Amino acid sequence: KSHLSITFDGTIPYSMVKKNAILLLSSLLLQDYVKWRGLFVHRFLAAVADEDDEVSCLAQTALRGPLLEKQPNLLSNSFVGAVFVFNNCKAHPLYIAEASAGGNGMGIDFEGAFLDGADRYHKRREIYEMMITNLSDEQKLEVTARLVKEVLGGALETSGDLAAACKLPPSSRLVNKRIESATNVLTDTLDILTSPEIKVGRVGADDDQDDDVASTNGSKPDQRNLHKQRLLSKISRKHLMEIVIPILCNLKTVLEASKSPLLKNLMQYLGYIFRTFKAEVNEHLANNPTLLQELEYDCKRNRKKKDSKSILGVSIDGGKRRVSMQ
């Protein structure tokens, strides 16, 4: 076994030590002297949310540059497991699988990384956004499917922390650290799925208009890319209607019964799907008019909020200077 240790005597700024560590480890990874074993990749991802901007920028540059070029599936393969690792959800099988990744040898844990808890969600979100923006459409589709299956589907099982987080009353979650971690996994997942950045292809594009543009102006590679985007968009839409919505409807029933605060996050995701694919959702929820009415109401309320913000404009310097939309 080979061991690597980095020490410093306190005279060098800690940020400098972290930057040198990122550079050294990146070089070793690129030359195959070091492998992504244990939670090493999650440790590296945690540096993306480092309080020092230079450390954060260097970690992002390494991950989405040479390291991603060497291993194109690095971020997509780590995404779902990262949600569990960042939230310290150690009891879940996915956390255990991530911790034992890479086979035998020196494993790396996640102790002292401190990304869990509701008050650190902004750090986790920064990492999620970096990962999403560096995923291809195929990888976004894969990550979405896995999040829905492993997290939302797991919440509908008869046992496990995810299921318990949905069924227990709010007061019980606060005294149980495991359930609190599972609740944050579900919250993060629903927020990720609601993010516009994880949309596959040109979801809202007009297919006929795209065909006209491709046939008149596009080169053959452009046309192939456009057809590929449209195909992936259709697959994504089919997955949303046939897999995601039934899971969300069943999960909504569970959350309503326990008066869970997670219901707000779930309805935001359902509302996002409804606004994006209104005709398809109306068709698939034709037998659930109550839910359709809720979604229509939320959609109107959301539209009113946006309209009121546009009308009020932006107030600057306590009202001394005001810029308004006409």
Side-chain angles (χ1 to χ4, degrees):
K1 294 180 182 180
S2 60
H3 296 268
L4 173 67
S5 62
I6 300 173
T7 60
F8 65 102
D9 60 7
T11 60
I12 303 173
Y14 189 37
S15 61
M16 181 66 70
V17 175
K18 289 189 282 187
K19 285 186 284 187
N20 285 335
I22 290 171
L23 291 171
L24 175 59
L25 291 171
S26 298
S27 177
L28 293 172
L29 284 163
L30 291 170
Q31 298 177 72
D32 290 324
Y33 287 116
V34 173
K35 302 293 184 182
W36 292 112
R37 285 180 177 154
L39 302 180
F40 185 17
V41 65
H42 305 90
R43 277 281 185 180
F44 215 112
L45 286 165
V48 170
D50 195 275
E51 293 179 356
D52 188 294
D53 289 340
E54 291 184 359
V55 173
S56 172
C57 184
L58 187 59
Q60 291 190 51
T61 301
L63 281 166
R64 63 190 180 194
L67 295 175
L68 192 59
E69 289 176 11
K70 180 176 175 61
Q71 192 172 338
N73 293 324
L74 176 64
L75 299 180
S76 59
N77 288 346
S78 306
F79 200 109
V80 180
V83 179
F84 288 89
V85 174
F86 294 162
N87 284 291
N88 205 29
C89 198
K90 294 182 177 180
H92 196 276
L94 266 178
Y95 187 107
I96 299 170
E98 293 289 313
S100 59
N104 296 326
M106 181 178 62
I108 297 177
D109 60 32
F110 205 66
E111 297 301 322
F114 304 122
L115 286 177
D116 59 319
D119 56 334
R120 298 189 182 101
Y121 172 65
H122 66 286
K123 290 189 172 184
R124 300 195 300 275
R125 182 172 182 173
E126 184 178 356
I127 303 172
Y128 297 146
E129 288 178 350
M130 185 281 295
M131 296 176 78
I132 292 172
T133 54
N134 288 281
L135 296 178
S136 65
D137 278 343
E138 293 97 324
Q139 290 170 337
K140 288 179 182 179
L141 192 57
E142 176 192 346
V143 167
T144 298
R146 285 197 63 205
L147 284 171
V148 170
K149 180 183 177 181
E150 302 285 354
V151 182
L152 302 186
L156 291 173
E157 294 178 359
T158 55
S159 61
D161 290 352
L162 292 176
C166 295
K167 294 174 183 175
L168 289 175
S171 57
S172 302
R173 298 189 190 94
L174 299 176
V175 296
N176 191 321
K177 188 66 178 175
R178 280 177 53 175
I179 301 305
E180 182 184 352
S181 294
T183 300
N184 289 334
V185 166
L186 286 159
T187 302
D188 285 12
T189 297
L190 289 166
D191 288 350
I192 290 166
L193 293 172
T194 308
S195 170
E197 284 78 19
I198 206 166
K199 283 199 304 185
V200 174
R202 299 178 62 187
V203 178
D206 187 307
D207 290 345
D208 294 333
Q209 185 179 2
D210 283 345
D211 284 339
D212 292 340
V213 172
S215 60
T216 56
N217 299 327
S219 63
K220 286 186 178 180
D222 290 338
Q223 290 180 28
R224 283 195 295 268
N225 288 335
L226 183 58
H227 292 320
K228 182 180 179 181
Q229 274 192 344
R230 287 184 55 203
L231 176 61
L232 291 172
S233 294
K234 287 179 180 178
I235 294 172
S236 175
R237 191 177 311 184
K238 183 180 175 72
H239 177 255
L240 283 171
M241 298 305 133
E242 297 182 2
I243 305 295
V244 179
I245 285 183
I247 288 177
L248 292 177
C249 289
N250 291 330
L251 192 55
K252 178 175 179 287
T253 302
V254 175
L255 297 177
E256 285 176 333
S258 65
K259 296 181 172 59
S260 171
L262 287 166
L263 185 60
K264 176 183 177 182
N265 302 85
L266 183 141
M267 290 303 296
Q268 286 176 341
Y269 183 35
L270 261 176
Y272 166 74
I273 298 174
F274 179 71
R275 292 190 300 272
T276 309
F277 305 108
K278 190 169 184 178
E280 291 91 338
V281 174
N282 274 310
E283 180 181 347
H284 279 78
L285 292 181
N287 295 326
N288 194 341
T290 303
L291 178 54
L292 278 176
Q293 288 177 357
E294 290 180 45
L295 293 173
E296 189 67 56
Y297 174 76
D298 287 344
C299 186
K300 289 179 180 177
R301 187 173 59 179
N302 186 66
R303 195 181 303 121
K304 284 182 179 179
K305 282 184 179 179
K306 287 184 178 180
D307 291 343
S308 62
K309 286 180 181 178
S310 298
I311 293 171
L312 289 174
V314 180
S315 179
I316 303 175
D317 294 332
K320 293 179 181 179
R321 181 181 172 192
R322 189 176 298 272
V323 180
S324 301
M325 296 288 291
Q326 297 297 326

